[in-house]
């Protein structure tokens, strides 16, 4: 008996490891990322360059910052369809205040942050007080912000694009923070990549090492049970909507200081990309499940697919096909994992 016990222990340990891997929300995104990376490494020689690596990281970061916040909100069992246009709203508020009131760029950015957090708070308060599904509340916010972006920009500037503000005081410093570039040999890393990594690390710490992180999972898993044990459900949800507002503001500031002008109609449709990245990364559509790292991997898949198709010389229409296929694969895998965990 003693001779066989080590082999039994090894098999049990192997089964335990397999079970833990199967329970990981990031499983589908990791598998998908490996497949897509291998595909483009084979079919697109230019995809193997350091320049391509930099471009993929940049594309992933600008999507991943908001997708991270949207993913946290989804873990709390809510959605925000206004996140895409909220990015543009934040940038428009900053640039038009700076230009028309001759403000320091940092003052405009600060006022835009207040605006973005207010939008998030209003969305959250409407959801928790009216009990109307967040899909409908934020869909209404999406339409209103879209209309405001276009109407106010045309009213103030007479066109759909804002005038440049690069000559405003503080612009250079703000550009370095939000849209700067660090050169490491032949590798160029945009500031958004570093901020994105920091935000993912902070979100991971909050989710797994703090009481608030436990509250997020509890609220998403079973709101009534969470409320019964003293979790401040309303406060948690409002804060999560405000986190989305902060992320939208940050990417809006990057867009403004990187390109110096904002098109009032941009950002429409990006809200679906944020949700898709979060779902691909393992966030459940019904709440209570997901990770910050998973949303990051989902964003990397977006970046690799978006840029890989270009480097491969394929028709850009293939991008939506790949994204849809990855979404379907992620949903099927996550459902299988959920059923597996129930059987356990």
């Amino acid at each position: 008996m003693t001779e066989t016990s080590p082999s039994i222990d090894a098999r049990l340990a192997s089964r335990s490891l397999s079970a833990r891997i199967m329970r990981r929300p990031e499983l589908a995104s990791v598998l998908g990322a490996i497949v897509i990376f291998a595909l483009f490494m084979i079919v697109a020689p230019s995809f193997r360059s350091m320049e391509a690596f930099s471009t993929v990281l940049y594309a992933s970061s600008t999507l991943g910052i908001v997708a991270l916040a949207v993913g946290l909100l989804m873990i709390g069992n809510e959605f925000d369809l206004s996140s895409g246009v909220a990015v543009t709203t934040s940038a428009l508020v900053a640039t038009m205040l700076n230009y028309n009131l001759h403000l320091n760029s940092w003052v405009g950015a600060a006022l835009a942050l207040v605006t973005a957090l207010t939008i998030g708070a209003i969305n959250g308060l409407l959801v928790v007080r009216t009990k109307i599904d967040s899909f409908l509340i934020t869909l209404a916010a999406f339409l209103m912000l879209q209309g405001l972006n276009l109407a106010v920009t045309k009213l103030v500037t007479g066109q759909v694009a804002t005038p440049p503000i690069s000559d405003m005081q503080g612009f250079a410093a703000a550009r370095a923070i939000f849209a700067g570039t660090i050169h490491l040999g032949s590798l160029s890393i945009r500031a958004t990549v570093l901020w994105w990594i920091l935000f993912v690390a902070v979100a991971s710490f909050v989710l797994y090492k703090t009481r608030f992180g436990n509250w997020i999972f509890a609220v998403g898993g079973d709101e009534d049970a969470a409320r019964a044990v003293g979790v401040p459900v309303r406060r948690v949800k409002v804060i999560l909507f405000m986190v989305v507002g902060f992320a939208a503001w940050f990417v809006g500031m990057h867009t403004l200081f990187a390109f110096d002008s904002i098109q009032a109609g941009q950002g429409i449709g990006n809200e679906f990309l944020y949700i898709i990245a979060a779902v691909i990364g393992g966030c459940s559509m019904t709440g209570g499940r997901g990770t910050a790292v998973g949303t990051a991997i989902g964003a990397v898949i977006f970046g690799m697919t978006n840029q890989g198709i270009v480097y491969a010389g394929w028709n850009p229409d293939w991008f939506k096909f790949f994204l849809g296929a990855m979404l379907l694969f992620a949903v099927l895998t996550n459902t299988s994992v959920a059923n597996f965990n129930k059987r356990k």
Side-chain angles (χ1 to χ4, degrees):
M1 178 69 69
T2 56
E3 294 179 355
T4 59
S5 59
S7 62
I8 294 174
D9 291 341
R11 288 198 298 271
L12 291 175
S14 177
R15 290 177 182 176
S16 177
L17 177 61
S18 300
R20 288 199 299 271
I21 293 174
M22 282 294 296
R23 292 191 183 100
R24 295 303 303 174
E26 310 96 334
L27 177 62
S29 60
V30 170
L31 296 176
I34 293 172
V35 171
I36 290 176
F37 177 77
L39 171 65
F40 289 116
M41 286 290 285
I42 294 171
V43 303
S46 56
F47 187 77
R48 307 163 196 164
S49 67
M50 296 302 290
E51 180 184 355
F53 182 67
S54 300
T55 304
V56 167
L57 283 180
Y58 173 56
S60 302
S61 66
T62 53
L63 176 95
I65 290 173
V66 185
L68 172 63
V70 169
L72 294 177
L73 182 63
M74 290 177 64
I75 295 174
N77 197 25
E78 300 293 350
F79 295 91
D80 191 342
L81 294 181
S82 67
S83 54
V85 292
V87 171
T88 305
T89 301
S90 299
L92 288 172
V93 169
T95 186
M96 286 197 286
L97 287 176
N98 283 344
Y99 184 83
N100 291 283
L101 301 181
H102 306 287
L103 301 175
N104 184 291
S105 294
W106 287 105
V107 175
L111 293 174
L113 174 58
V114 173
T115 302
L117 293 178
T118 301
I119 292 171
I122 291 173
N123 281 339
L125 288 171
L126 286 173
V127 168
V128 299
R129 291 187 179 277
T130 66
K131 303 298 183 180
I132 298 173
D133 196 289
S134 58
F135 178 91
L136 296 175
I137 293 290
T138 58
L139 177 60
F142 161 80
L143 294 171
M144 288 188 290
L145 290 177
Q146 181 184 353
L148 282 173
N149 289 349
L150 290 166
V152 175
T153 303
K154 288 180 181 178
L155 179 65
V156 175
T157 68
Q159 53 187 357
V160 294
T162 61
I165 59 168
S166 56
D167 58 342
M168 296 291 179
Q169 188 177 8
F171 184 89
R175 169 173 275 183
I177 296 297
F178 292 105
T181 302
I182 298 175
H183 300 282
L184 300 175
S186 59
L187 179 64
S188 298
I189 301 178
R190 301 294 292 268
T192 50
V193 176
L194 301 179
W195 283 112
W196 177 41
I197 294 172
L198 174 62
F199 292 153
V200 170
V202 171
S204 297
F205 177 81
V206 169
L207 279 176
Y208 294 104
K209 299 295 183 179
T210 69
R211 177 182 295 180
F212 187 75
N214 291 332
W215 287 351
I216 294 174
F217 283 111
V219 168
D222 190 329
E223 183 177 323
D224 292 333
R227 186 177 289 106
V229 297
V231 175
V233 174
R234 289 187 173 186
R235 190 197 316 166
V236 169
K237 291 194 174 187
V238 171
I239 290 174
L240 289 175
F241 275 103
M242 293 178 70
V243 170
V244 175
F246 170 81
W249 166 80
F250 193 92
V251 175
M253 293 307 96
H254 163 73
T255 306
L256 171 60
F257 293 112
F259 303 104
D260 194 19
S261 181
I262 300 296
Q263 295 287 332
Q266 67 188 66
I268 298 172
N270 286 349
E271 59 279 347
F272 295 110
L273 297 181
Y274 303 144
I275 293 174
I276 289 170
V279 173
I280 290 175
C283 292
S284 172
M285 298 290 288
T286 55
R289 179 181 172 83
T291 66
V293 173
T295 63
I297 298 173
V300 169
I301 288 175
F302 166 87
M304 286 194 298
T305 305
N306 190 29
Q307 299 302 317
I309 288 175
V310 174
Y311 287 119
W314 296 351
N315 188 318
D317 291 337
W318 282 106
F319 168 69
K320 291 183 179 179
F321 171 81
F322 274 96
L323 206 60
M326 274 307 308
L327 176 61
L328 179 61
F329 174 72
V331 170
L332 292 175
T333 303
N334 292 339
T335 301
S336 299
V337 170
N339 293 334
F340 173 82
N341 292 335
K342 288 180 181 179
R343 290 197 298 268
K344 291 293 181 179

